[in-house]
Amino acid sequence: MEFPFDVDALFPERITVLDQHLRPPARRPGTATPARTDLQHQIMTVVDELGRASAKAQHLPSPITSASRMQSNRHVMYVLKDTSARPAVKGAIAGFLKVGYKKLFVLDDREAHNEVEPLCILDFYIHESLQRHGHGRELFQHMLQKERVEPHQLAIDRPSQKLLKFLNKHYSLETTVPQVNNFVIFEGFFAHQHRPPAHSLRAARQARAAALDPTPAAPARKLPPKRAEGDIKPYSSSDREFLKVAVEPPWPLNRAPRRTTPPAHPPPRSSSLGNSPERGPLRPFVPEQELLRSLRLCPPHPTARLLLATDSGGSPAQRRRTSSLPRSEESRY
Ligand SMILES: CC(=O)SCCNC(=O)CCNC(=O)[C@H](O)C(C)(C)COP(=O)(O)OP(=O)(O)OC[C@H]1O[C@@H](n2cnc3c(N)ncnc32)[C@H](O)[C@@H]1OP(=O)(O)O
């Protein structure tokens, strides 16, 4: 991925770590130093461009990674330079990996709710011309080392089939723990969720290592105290949540009662790599009788007329169709 500026000078190292400040890394001695604002502008251009390419590769309606989203979240982006780029080109970018800690409500293998805050894989992209050459693994491996996490400790925000295959091939991650949200976790996730107390050896070692290595890592967060089972909602906000396309039906069909508690029957769970969460558009559930009451009150509307034309004792087939509508379906985005 090429840019109209000197990427080689902008990112002196093969892998650059960017946090919400999008600070330009220190330049090699002897390299001309443009104004800091110009450098930051270049970094923002790279981040935006990478985000767009990743969204396109994943068929997302809009990017989940952009400079402005980076600046407003505490995420960390690992950017990989393409060092095989043509000499005439002033460097190129091979891809990126974005991670961040997120508070999630996840089910364990006994289907109990757990409030956790794992490091999440949020976005991952290697340029099409460079895929399946080991660049993804190099980037992922670098991130694991830098963040000091094991692959099975991660939560993955709606992984693509390519990413599932990648995780299976390189890290033998295969068996998922079924969830009702968009995140995928693997067997072994719960064995490693506890964090060391602040005074532990591991924490001290981590603090020393961080002092020696000033490049940003995803900001670690403390686990909140465990909540009573009844307080926990089994839904966790995915980073891809904002991509939800709200296709709102006309009034009064849009008057779904607000739900303060999760539905009694959660949507079907993903149980294996093959059916990682792929869901249809979000549709509110309006009880049949309430819907008909509302329709009688509303001004004439083509949809209303159509529904009122069928009395509540309509054909059994019609009723079966209506009542078999799923109570809630989560959208893909
Ligand atoms: C939470 C999220 O970010 S979900 C979105 C993940 N990103 C995408 O799907 C975007 C498109 N895909 C990509 O950018 C890349 O393929 C990545 C990031 C998933 C992997 O990066 P790569 O550099 O291709 O990975 P790397 O070369 O290290 O490993 C290759 C392995 O990844 C998997 N893989 C990569 N591409 C494919 C593909 N087209 N089809 C099937 N498996 C694939 C395979 O296991 C492959 O091993 P194989 O070639 O022996 O079958």
Side-chain angles (χ1 to χ4, degrees):
M1 214 167 182
E2 294 164 13
F3 293 88
F5 44 80
D6 192 343
V7 170
D8 242 350
L10 183 63
F11 298 125
E13 304 300 327
R14 183 160 164 81
I15 297 178
T16 299
V17 191
L18 299 172
D19 64 10
Q20 69 184 136
H21 304 294
L22 299 179
R23 267 189 217 105
R27 292 167 80 83
R28 285 194 199 107
T31 327
T33 310
R36 201 176 169 75
T37 47
D38 290 346
L39 292 176
Q40 187 159 43
H41 185 77
Q42 291 178 359
I43 289 182
M44 292 171 82
T45 305
V46 169
V47 172
D48 283 341
E49 207 51 52
L50 284 172
R52 272 195 286 272
S54 178
K56 197 169 167 211
Q58 297 174 58
H59 310 290
L60 303 177
S62 58
I64 48 175
T65 298
S66 66
S68 65
R69 282 180 67 77
M70 276 299 289
Q71 286 169 323
S72 56
N73 286 287
R74 297 181 74 207
H75 297 155
V76 168
M77 207 169 151
Y78 291 80
V79 179
L80 178 69
K81 216 164 62 164
D82 174 9
T83 40
S84 67
R86 291 174 289 136
V89 175
K90 290 184 162 185
I93 302 294
F96 75 99
L97 171 59
K98 187 175 82 172
V99 298
Y101 282 91
K102 269 185 169 290
K103 191 176 281 188
L104 304 179
F105 297 103
V106 291
L107 299 173
D108 58 28
D109 51 8
R110 287 166 303 154
E111 300 196 357
H113 299 303
N114 292 264
E115 189 172 358
V116 290
E117 200 161 6
L119 188 68
C120 300
I121 303 297
L122 303 172
D123 203 0
F124 190 16
Y125 169 73
I126 295 291
H127 189 268
E128 282 71 9
S129 65
L130 299 168
Q131 286 175 17
R132 293 185 128 161
H133 285 76
H135 298 295
R137 182 167 194 270
E138 180 185 352
L139 203 46
F140 208 89
Q141 206 54 38
H142 186 94
M143 179 280 295
L144 291 175
Q145 258 177 3
K146 184 95 179 99
E147 304 293 342
R148 297 179 193 91
V149 285
E150 298 291 330
H152 53 257
Q153 293 175 288
L154 298 165
I156 327 284
D157 189 354
R158 221 190 155 90
S160 63
Q161 283 302 316
K162 286 185 187 180
L163 180 52
L164 289 170
K165 292 220 166 82
F166 170 94
L167 293 169
N168 189 351
K169 174 178 174 152
H170 296 305
Y171 302 105
S172 306
L173 295 176
E174 185 166 15
T175 312
T176 58
V177 183
Q179 299 300 316
V180 292
N181 58 37
N182 280 334
F183 287 85
V184 167
I185 58 171
F186 292 90
E187 210 172 56
F189 179 86
F190 291 99
H192 302 272
Q193 271 307 302
H194 63 277
R195 288 185 177 236
H199 53 269
S200 76
L201 271 180
R202 188 172 160 219
R205 204 171 58 230
Q206 285 180 357
R208 267 202 308 280
L212 290 174
D213 181 1
T215 52
R221 290 187 202 158
K222 264 193 183 164
L223 267 180
K226 193 166 167 48
R227 288 206 216 161
E229 180 89 352
D231 295 343
I232 296 180
K233 293 186 187 141
Y235 301 108
S236 301
S237 127
S238 151
D239 229 47
R240 291 152 194 249
E241 210 65 6
F242 81 102
L243 295 173
K244 273 190 175 139
V245 186
V247 185
E248 195 163 283
W251 188 91
L253 302 180
N254 58 358
R255 294 179 63 230
R258 278 187 185 276
R259 223 189 230 120
T260 49
T261 51
H265 305 290
R269 291 190 272 115
S270 58
S271 55
S272 68
L273 296 183
N275 32 347
S276 91
E278 285 279 333
R279 300 188 182 121
L282 190 74
R283 258 187 249 131
F285 169 69
V286 185
E288 199 170 298
Q289 287 312 314
E290 194 193 308
L291 174 65
L292 285 169
R293 261 201 311 279
S294 314
L295 285 174
R296 290 198 175 100
L297 294 173
C298 82
H301 184 282
T303 320
R305 258 190 253 120
L306 190 78
L307 279 167
L308 281 171
T310 326
D311 69 12
S312 53
S315 78
Q318 171 89 28
R319 262 191 290 152
R320 222 178 9 254
R321 268 206 304 280
T322 316
S323 55
S324 68
L325 274 177
R327 290 195 162 219
S328 75
E329 288 177 358
E330 258 193 272
S331 83
R332 175 150 166 38
Y333 310 114

